[in-house]
C-alpha cells in the first residue's frame, strides 16, 4: 500500500505580496498542489492524505470545484482530508455540502470518525476543526477500532491553541502511521510512524528550508517506511555573508549575487551581513534587495567600527563629542552621511 501525505497547502494564500516575486506566489501554491496530484498518479499511490489547512481560509465553491476536478483525475487513489484551524468547519461550510468525487472522503465531524478501505486493507481516522482553536489534547488516549490492517490517524495541531501534541503520548497510540499537519516545518516525530509533512509551499519567511510531501509505503510484513520529497517551487533560506575588512561595496554585491546564483535565484533569502561597517549599512543595504529575492536584511556590525564603541574608545576627544551629537535619536539620510564622513575624517586625522 503506497500513500502520499501532504498538509498545510494553504490554497488562497498570497505570501510576500509586497515583493516582486509575490505576484506569482498565489498561483505557484495552486500549481504545486496540481503537481502533487501528478506525482500521486505517476507513483500509482493508493491513498492521498491531506492533514488539514488545504485552504488558507473558508474555501469558495468554485475553489472546491477545482480541487475536486484534480481529485477526480486520480480515480484509483483514495483521497482523505480533514479541516484544520484555517479552513475550519463553519456553519455553512462548503466542505460539507459540496458533492465530492466518489474517491474523496472528508472526515468533517468534530468527533473522531473512521473511513474504511477494505480493498487496500486500510482505515483512516480523523476529526475536523469546528473553531479556530482547540485547546484540549484530543488525540491523547484515542485508539483505532479495528485491530487488523493499516491504521492511520490524520491529525492537525501541535501547539497550545491547536490541539497540543506530546511526542510521548503519540508514541503510545496504536496507529501504524500518524499523518500530521499544522507545523509548517517538515519533521519526523517518530521514525516511520509519525511525521509532519510540513507546508507544501512555504507560506511565510519563517518557513525556511525545503518543502514538499511525504511518500510512504506499508508492506505485507506490516512495516511502514516514509520519506520526504521536496516539491516546492521556491524555498526561503538564511544567507549569511561575511564582509571582509577591506572589501569594497562592489565586491560585497558581487559575492551576494554569486551566492544567490549558486543556491537558486528562484529562492527567497533572509540576508545577514556579518562584519559590515556601520557606515556601509547606513549608505545602502536597501539597495542590496535588488540583487535577488531578498525579503529582509540583517546587519551584524564590525565591533571596532560601531559608533558607540568608537565614542567610548576615544572618550574625551573631539571624535567622541562629535559622535554623541548624533546619538539617541533617529537620523535622517543627510545626518547619517554627516556622521559617517565626519567620523571618517576625524579617524583619518588621528592616524597621522
Ligand atoms: Mn493549521
Amino acid at each position: 500500500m503506497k500513500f502520499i501525505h501532504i498538509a498545510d497547502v494553504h490554497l488562497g494564500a498570497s505570501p510576500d505580496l509586497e515583493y516582486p516575486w509575490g505576484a506569482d506566489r498565489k498561483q505557484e501554491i495552486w500549481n504545486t498542489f496540481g503537481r502533487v496530484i501528478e506525482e500521486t498518479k505517476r507513483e500509482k499511490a493508493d491513498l492521498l492524505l491531506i492533514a488539514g489547512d488545504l485552504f488558507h481560509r473558508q474555501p469558495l465553491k468554485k475553489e472546491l470545484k477545482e480541487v475536486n476536478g484534480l481529485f477526480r483525475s486520480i480515480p484509483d487513489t483514495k483521497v482523505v482530508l480533514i479541516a484544520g484551524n484555517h479552513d475550519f468547519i463553519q456553519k455553512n461550510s462548503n466542505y460539507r455540502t459540496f458533492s465530492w468525487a466518489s474517491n474523496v472522503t472528508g472526515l468533517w465531524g468534530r468527533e473522531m470518525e473512521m473511513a474504511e478501505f477494505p480493498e487496500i486493507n486500510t482505515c483512516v481516522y480523523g476529526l475536523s476543526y469546528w473553531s479556530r482553536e482547540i485547546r484540549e489534547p484530543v488525540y491523547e488516549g484515542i485508539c483505532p477500532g479495528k485491530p487488523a490492517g493499516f491504521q492511520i490517524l490524520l491529525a492537525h495541531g501541535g501547539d497550545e491553541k491547536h490541539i497540543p501534541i506530546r511526542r510521548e503520548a503519540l508514541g503510545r497510540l496504536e496507529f501504524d502511521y500518524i499523518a500530521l499537519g499544522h507545523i509548517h516545518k517538515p519533521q519526523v516525530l517518530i521514525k516511520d510512524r509519525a511525521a509532519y509533512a510540513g507546508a507544501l509551499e512555504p507560506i511565510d519567511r519563517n518557513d525556511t528550508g525545503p518543502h514538499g510531501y511525504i511518500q510512504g509505503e506499508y508492506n505485507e510484513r506490516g512495516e511502514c517506511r516514509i520519506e520526504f520529497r521536496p516539491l516546492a517551487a521556491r524555498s526561503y533560506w538564511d544567507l549569511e555573508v561575511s564582509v571582509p575588512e577591506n572589501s569594497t561595496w562592489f565586491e560585497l554585491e558581487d559575492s551576494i549575487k554569486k551566492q544567490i546564483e549558486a543556491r537558486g535565484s528562484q529562492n527567497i533569502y533572509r540576508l545577514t551581513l556579518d562584519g559590515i561597517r556601520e557606515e556601509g549599512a547606513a549608505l545602502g543595504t536597501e539597495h542590496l534587495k535588488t540583487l535577488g529575492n531578498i525579503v529582509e536584511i540583517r546587519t551584524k556590525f564590525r565591533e571596532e567600527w560601531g559608533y558607540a564603541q568608537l565614542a567610548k574608545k576615544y572618550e574625551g576627544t573631539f571624535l567622541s563629542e562629535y559622535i554623541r551629537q548624533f546619538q539617541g535619536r533617529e537620523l535622517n539620510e543627510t545626518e547619517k552621511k554627516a556622521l559617517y564622513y565626519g567620523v571618517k575624517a576625524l579617524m583619518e586625522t588621528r592616524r597621522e
Side-chain angles (χ1 to χ4, degrees):
M1 206 283 285
K2 217 181 217 185
F3 64 92
I4 282 178
H5 160 201
I6 59 171
D8 301 276
V9 185
H10 288 269
L11 294 170
S14 345
D16 291 345
L17 254 191
E18 64 277 34
Y19 295 90
W21 62 88
D24 300 326
R25 289 302 287 148
K26 187 174 181 177
Q27 190 57 45
E28 282 171 5
I29 293 172
W30 274 95
N31 292 350
T32 304
F33 179 61
R35 287 195 289 131
V36 168
I37 301 297
E38 279 167 31
E39 286 296 301
T40 307
K41 200 182 298 179
R42 199 178 53 79
E43 290 285 345
K44 298 189 172 72
D46 301 289
L47 190 60
L48 173 61
L49 301 163
I50 306 178
D53 288 354
L54 174 59
F55 282 89
H56 193 55
R57 33 148 186 78
Q58 294 299 311
L60 305 173
K61 251 183 219 153
K62 63 177 181 191
E63 292 173 323
L64 292 186
K65 206 176 141 196
E66 291 302 319
V67 163
N68 192 48
L70 290 169
F71 292 158
R72 207 173 34 219
S73 74
I74 47 169
D76 300 331
T77 304
K78 314 283 177 204
V79 181
V80 187
L81 64 162
I82 56 173
N85 57 308
H86 276 266
D87 52 1
F88 68 96
I89 304 292
Q90 273 186 347
K91 215 200 285 171
N92 300 314
S93 169
N94 290 322
Y95 271 143
R96 293 176 70 215
T97 51
F98 193 82
S99 103
W100 292 98
S102 58
N103 60 323
V104 181
T105 307
L107 302 174
W108 307 128
R110 67 175 92 199
E111 305 286 336
M112 196 65 60
E113 291 179 61
M114 188 255 277
E116 193 175 0
F117 305 104
E119 56 279 52
I120 50 172
N121 198 21
T122 297
C123 297
V124 184
Y125 301 76
L127 57 83
S128 281
Y129 280 62
W130 280 57
S131 55
R132 261 176 241 284
E133 294 181 2
I134 301 176
R135 287 165 181 264
E136 298 77 41
V138 297
Y139 297 126
E140 292 194 6
I142 58 162
C143 59
K146 285 249 172 180
F150 188 36
Q151 311 294 317
I152 298 177
L153 175 63
L154 202 47
H156 191 92
D159 63 41
E160 65 175 295
K161 290 179 182 172
H162 307 98
I163 312 186
I165 290 171
R166 290 178 305 138
R167 192 182 165 280
E168 317 80 68
L170 274 196
R172 287 193 289 271
L173 300 182
E174 288 174 13
F175 291 94
D176 298 292
Y177 181 62
I178 303 174
L180 291 153
H182 185 62
I183 306 294
H184 283 190
K185 199 179 181 59
Q187 54 201 287
V188 173
L189 293 190
I190 305 166
K191 189 179 184 298
D192 292 317
R193 267 195 65 209
Y196 282 100
L200 181 61
E201 280 280 338
I203 300 304
D204 73 50
R205 65 179 72 174
N206 299 314
D207 295 347
T208 53
H211 285 263
Y213 65 96
I214 286 173
Q215 165 134 354
E217 204 157 359
Y218 180 70
N219 67 20
E220 301 77 33
R221 293 185 300 281
E223 299 157 337
C224 181
R225 292 270 172 280
I226 59 166
E227 67 177 48
F228 173 76
R229 298 198 175 169
L231 192 71
R234 306 173 196 262
S235 358
Y236 292 86
W237 293 103
D238 283 315
L239 179 61
E240 186 159 325
V241 176
S242 58
V243 185
E245 185 141 13
N246 295 314
S247 64
T248 68
W249 195 250
F250 287 107
E251 286 164 341
L252 174 62
E253 287 192 5
D254 200 45
S255 149
I256 293 169
K257 260 191 248 173
K258 282 193 180 123
Q259 291 190 59
I260 286 179
E261 227 161 83
R263 296 179 66 173
S265 55
Q266 79 283 10
N267 293 327
I268 306 159
Y269 295 91
R270 306 197 300 187
L271 179 64
T272 302
L273 299 171
D274 188 8
I276 194 169
R277 293 183 293 267
E278 205 160 324
E279 83 282 2
L283 287 177
T285 51
E286 272 306 299
H287 164 72
L288 296 177
K289 286 190 176 170
T290 60
L291 300 175
N293 299 333
I294 296 173
V295 71
E296 66 183 48
I297 299 179
R298 287 178 219 191
T299 43
K300 288 188 196 165
F301 292 111
R302 192 184 294 288
E303 273 293 298
E304 66 268 29
W305 259 95
Y307 291 126
Q309 274 88 1
L310 276 182
K312 210 182 278 174
K313 186 168 174 193
Y314 296 104
E315 195 67 70
T317 68
F318 186 61
L319 174 64
S320 160
E321 288 295 303
Y322 185 75
I323 292 170
R324 294 212 197 285
Q325 286 178 45
F326 294 91
Q327 280 178 329
R329 63 196 164 92
E330 194 77 3
L331 300 183
N332 64 33
E333 287 311 305
T334 318
E335 286 172 323
K336 280 180 190 166
K337 284 181 187 166
L339 173 60
Y340 166 55
Y341 289 112
V343 168
K344 190 164 180 262
L346 289 165
M347 288 295 284
E348 274 160 12
T349 20
R350 288 201 59 85
R351 272 187 217 116
E352 286 159 8

